[in-house]
């Protein structure tokens, strides 16, 4: 829209995922098998297996590291000028170059 229609576009994106997921039930049953509910990547795994649904404290450390890395990247973008709203039009130029419209 920015280039084709010459219209201003507000770009919105999701910065990070949701690591913890509250559930209405502590368990779920599929095909007669009952296991603990998936609580999010920082608690247990999504696969419907006994091993995957065991809470793993190491997941908290991994989630912390990923969150810290995301914040550091955003900090670098904001302080380095890349996230400056005056540069918004540049954010999509690579995508446009690799599209049929850019050829």
């Amino acid at each position: 829209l920015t280039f084709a229609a010459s219209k201003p576009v507000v770009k919105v994106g999701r910065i990070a995922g949701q690591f913890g997921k509250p559930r209405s039930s502590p368990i779920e049953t599929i095909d007669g098998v009952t296991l603990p509910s998936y609580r999010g990547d920082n608690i247990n795994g999504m696969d419907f297996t006994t091993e995957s649904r065991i809470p793993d404290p190491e997941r908290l450390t991994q989630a912390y590291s990923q969150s810290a890395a995301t914040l550091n990247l955003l900090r670098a973008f904001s302080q380095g000028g890349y996230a400056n709203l005056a540069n918004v039009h540049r954010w999509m130029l690579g995508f446009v170059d690799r599209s049929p419209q850019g050829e």
Side-chain angles (χ1 to χ4, degrees):
L1 290 176
T2 301
F3 300 106
S6 298
K7 299 289 183 189
V9 175
V10 176
K11 292 169 176 60
V12 178
R14 186 172 180 178
I15 295 171
Q18 179 181 348
F19 285 110
K21 301 182 179 304
R23 294 292 184 239
S24 58
S25 175
I27 59 171
E28 62 180 298
T29 302
I30 298 177
D31 295 329
V33 177
T34 301
L35 294 174
S37 293
Y38 170 62
R39 297 284 186 169
D41 290 337
N42 69 343
I43 306 288
N44 59 5
M46 190 183 302
D47 294 336
F48 194 73
T49 63
T50 303
E51 297 78 23
S52 181
R53 295 302 174 91
I54 296 172
D56 180 4
E58 184 60 32
R59 289 173 171 267
L60 291 173
T61 303
Q62 182 179 5
Y64 174 83
S65 296
Q66 289 172 320
S67 298
T70 299
L71 288 173
N72 286 337
L73 181 64
L74 291 173
R75 188 176 297 114
F77 282 162
S78 67
Q79 293 174 355
Y82 182 78
N84 185 330
L85 292 178
N87 294 327
V88 169
H89 66 283
R90 294 183 188 173
W91 297 353
M92 296 296 287
L93 290 179
F95 171 76
V96 172
D97 286 345
R98 293 184 299 274
S99 72
Q101 290 79 14
E103 294 178 356

